[in-house]
Amino acid sequence: MKLRDIERHFEVREGYWFAPKLFGWGATPVTWQGWLLTLGFIAVFLLVIALVPGELLKAAVGLPLLLGFLWLVHSKTEGGFSWHWGPDKRR
């Protein structure tokens, strides 16, 4: 695997904020918007855990927050989520 193959894997077209992970399932933020969304989600999620009283209420607030984040990441990932075994040789 060459460095250029890895760099090419993480290039996305305009309008996408995430690239599929190089190995495994999921996405990696590759633009400032993707990083901002990810860090913002982490901050809000930690605030929910710290400030919302009761385990059931934390789950009632945190689960929709998590699902919304995952939906947005999926919609902003070029190629969607799928399993990867390394850089795409076809690019």
Side-chain angles (χ1 to χ4, degrees):
M1 176 177 345
K2 296 180 180 172
L3 180 60
R4 182 65 192 139
D5 294 333
I6 296 170
E7 290 172 346
R8 192 175 304 129
H9 179 81
F10 290 107
E11 292 172 355
V12 294
R13 293 178 299 183
E14 190 170 331
Y16 291 102
W17 302 346
F18 296 85
K21 287 177 67 175
L22 190 57
F23 291 93
W25 186 84
T28 302
V30 293
T31 66
W32 69 267
Q33 296 97 329
W35 282 105
L36 185 64
L37 178 69
T38 302
L39 294 174
F41 166 74
I42 292 169
V44 170
F45 198 76
L46 290 175
L47 281 173
V48 166
I49 290 172
L51 300 178
V52 174
E55 299 301 318
L56 188 57
L57 192 54
K58 285 180 185 184
V61 174
L63 186 60
L65 185 64
L66 174 64
L67 293 176
F69 172 72
L70 290 175
W71 174 82
L72 190 54
V73 169
H74 183 269
S75 68
K76 289 294 189 175
T77 299
E78 185 173 9
F81 291 173
S82 61
W83 188 266
H84 292 274
W85 291 102
D88 188 358
K89 303 289 188 207
R90 293 172 292 169
R91 286 187 179 186

